Amino acid sequence: QVQLVESGGGLVQAGGSLRLSCAASGSIFSINAMTWYRQAPGKQRELVAAFPSGGSRNYADSVEGRFTNSRDNAENTVYLQMNSLKPEDTAVYYCNARITSWDLKRGYYVYDYWGQGTQVTVSS
């Protein structure tokens, strides 16, 4: 009943910028947190940027100062502005949202949803 749709990935040269977006829709009572992860080939998925509801943003050390996470609560959308991109930023980027929903059968419930992933490729 909840969908996350990501967009904004692509191919960019080192030093360039990209802006990813992740829009949540469906049966949403509240969004508790929205987090960006990435997974490079042969590596484990890693946290890139987190935006907990009511909390301060935090970033992986590798992207601190280059990436900025922002959120539009009215549109249930989170953005990841990526500047000064490096080849090592190449990965599939995933959005995760922890969402509270409500229905007659379960009442309020919390569930983690994932986007489909968007490829970011940075050429040297």
Side-chain angles (χ1 to χ4, degrees), residues 80-113:
L80 185 67
Q81 178 66 43
M82 306 185 295
N83 298 327
S84 302
L85 282 162
K86 304 175 180 180
E88 51 264 42
D89 294 318
T90 295
V92 178
Y93 284 70
Y94 297 92
C95 172
N96 170 274
R98 178 159 292 179
I99 292 174
T100 299
S101 302
W102 182 92
D103 63 30
L104 281 173
K105 184 176 181 180
R106 290 173 284 187
Y108 291 105
Y109 61 96
V110 179
Y111 194 78
D112 281 349
Y113 297 89

Side-chain angles (χ1 to χ4, degrees), residues 2-80:
V2 173
Q3 297 81 37
L4 295 183
V5 178
E6 301 173 33
S7 61
L11 173 64
V12 65
Q13 288 188 332
S17 298
L18 284 173
R19 188 193 195 206
L20 306 183
S21 64
C22 173
S25 63
S27 178
I28 299 171
F29 176 78
S30 66
I31 298 178
N32 306 324
M34 295 188 83
T35 307
W36 289 98
Y37 291 81
R38 68 185 180 187
Q39 187 166 18
K43 294 188 178 181
Q44 289 189 329
R45 190 171 296 189
E46 64 173 351
L47 187 148
V48 176
F51 206 150
S53 178
S56 60
R57 288 167 278 187
N58 55 75
Y59 302 92
D61 290 344
S62 59
V63 307
E64 182 79 53
R66 300 187 296 121
F67 290 11
T68 303
N69 201 9
S70 62
R71 184 165 159 175
D72 183 336
N73 289 324
E75 298 293 329
N76 289 331
T77 300
V78 65
Y79 302 95
L80 185 67

